[in-house]
Amino acid sequence: MATTETSLAALYPRYLHCLAEADESAAIEVARELLEAGVPADRVLLDLVAPAQAEVGERWARNEWSVAQEHAATHVSERVVAAVAGYANVRGDRGRIVVACMDGEWHALPARLVAEVLRLQGWQVTFLGASVPAAHLVSYLHRHDAYAVALACALPMRLPQAHRMIEACRRSDVPVVVGGRGFGTDGRWARRLGVAWAPDGPTAADLLADERALRATAPAALAHLADDEYPSLVSRRGELIDSALADLTRRIPATRDYTPAQLDSTVSDLGYILDFLAAALYVDDGSLFTEFVDWLVTILASRGVPATAVGATLRHYAVTLHDFPRAAAFLAAGAASLPAVGRPDHPPAA
């Protein structure tokens, strides 16, 4: 008789093919086959849907799939999650957990997976979905009795917003557990913000079951914010983007002929650099920014944009922000992490 592991491994390629073809019915059928073969619902979610969705993201990052293909595949995965939840049909008798994504965070599927895993473990779960404003979350908590809140964040640039949401929940005396790559693969930025962190749904369920551990977190370590670099950078965001775009146009005249879509993409990238730099300043961790630079270079390279473009922009921001010591140090570290040919001090060969 096939084991759970072999059943999942055998059907995983077929499931990926369903996502590639945006075949919702076939994808649900794969999940149903596993459930009817005795594979637990949480394993279907965690060992089939989750890794397949991660592969969807990787295919987009490698420029193998368009945004439209990624969105179609994600929709299919969402329908599969709903089908698995319906098949399991668990009615929780434990406390109510409110699950939500950070304001501005639109990657809701990972949070939905956690919500369903918690539901399968007996919790009553209210899933608020993507991009929930802090004020709306607090208003909901005031109207509905919640044992705890689980907040998801996929992008580290959302950490300042995450901290505001965490503190808002605590002022309502509701404990918080967080998860998602936005807090670091090891949860180090969650610890910096003084909040309980779980790497996955089952761990979150275990943590929620221990209220003492859930509330026993160290205070946030944010004394460095007294230097005002973070709010000053945020207040100058628009000005800095305009300056970087003007510098890019001077260096690369061809950018004057960009289509509106190309220009929008360029402005977005210039803004993302500042947003990740601001988040790094907020938690005082240059590795956050360096990891982003490495990721950005990989993404842009798959789309034909050389690392030199990133290096020149980092240099421009460093010069403009020369009176921001921490920001300048993070920008220098980011530039140093570039491939040699992309570094500001290593121009490309003629």
Side-chain angles (χ1 to χ4, degrees), residues 244-284:
L245 184 60
D247 177 70
L248 185 64
T249 302
R250 284 193 299 270
R251 287 186 290 101
I252 309 175
T255 57
R256 298 190 184 97
D257 299 322
Y258 274 6
T259 66
Q262 289 174 313
L263 184 60
D264 285 347
S265 180
T266 300
V267 170
S268 293
D269 290 340
L270 295 174
Y272 287 145
I273 292 173
L274 292 174
D275 294 339
F276 276 87
L277 178 61
L281 290 173
Y282 197 90
V283 297
D284 196 32

Side-chain angles (χ1 to χ4, degrees), residues 229-249:
E229 284 199 34
Y230 167 75
S232 298
L233 178 65
V234 171
S235 69
R236 293 179 59 184
R237 184 179 187 274
E239 163 205 333
L240 289 165
I241 291 174
D242 289 344
S243 174
L245 184 60
D247 177 70
L248 185 64
T249 302

Side-chain angles (χ1 to χ4, degrees), residues 99-345:
V99 181
C101 295
M102 303 300 169
D103 192 3
E105 174 60 67
W106 297 99
H107 295 82
L109 184 57
R112 175 71 188 280
L113 288 169
V114 170
E116 295 308 330
V117 169
L118 293 177
R119 201 187 314 275
L120 289 168
Q121 300 228 4
W123 294 97
Q124 299 176 57
V125 178
T126 299
F127 180 58
L128 300 185
S131 190
V132 180
H136 293 201
L137 174 60
V138 171
S139 176
Y140 187 89
L141 295 178
H142 285 165
R143 295 179 182 178
H144 303 275
D145 185 33
Y147 170 79
V149 172
L151 296 176
C153 180
L155 299 173
M157 71 176 185
R158 304 291 183 198
L159 286 172
Q161 295 94 318
H163 189 219
R164 288 192 285 273
M165 291 187 75
I166 291 164
E167 292 304 308
C169 291
R170 286 174 169 168
R171 285 193 292 272
S172 300
D173 196 33
V174 180
V176 181
V177 60
V178 300
R181 293 184 179 182
F183 292 99
T185 55
D186 58 357
R188 61 189 181 275
W189 300 318
R191 290 189 292 275
R192 181 59 58 90
L193 298 181
V195 64
W197 170 79
D200 51 40
T203 306
D206 291 342
L207 183 58
L208 289 166
D210 186 348
E211 185 177 5
R212 186 173 181 179
L214 184 62
R215 292 182 179 269
T217 54
L222 300 173
H224 52 273
L225 291 177
D227 65 13
D228 285 336
E229 284 199 34
Y230 167 75
S232 298
L233 178 65
V234 171
S235 69
R236 293 179 59 184
R237 184 179 187 274
E239 163 205 333
L240 289 165
I241 291 174
D242 289 344
S243 174
L245 184 60
D247 177 70
L248 185 64
T249 302
R250 284 193 299 270
R251 287 186 290 101
I252 309 175
T255 57
R256 298 190 184 97
D257 299 322
Y258 274 6
T259 66
Q262 289 174 313
L263 184 60
D264 285 347
S265 180
T266 300
V267 170
S268 293
D269 290 340
L270 295 174
Y272 287 145
I273 292 173
L274 292 174
D275 294 339
F276 276 87
L277 178 61
L281 290 173
Y282 197 90
V283 297
D284 196 32
D285 188 347
S287 70
L288 186 158
F289 185 68
T290 300
E291 289 174 10
F292 162 72
V293 170
D294 293 342
W295 175 85
L296 180 63
V297 168
T298 300
I299 295 295
L300 293 178
S302 72
R303 289 150 175 80
V305 179
T308 50
V310 177
T313 296
L314 296 182
R315 177 174 59 189
H316 174 78
Y317 281 147
V319 170
T320 307
L321 297 169
H322 62 87
D323 53 345
F324 288 58
R326 288 196 295 130
F330 294 166
L331 285 161
S337 74
L338 294 171
V341 72
R343 296 175 194 163
D345 58 351

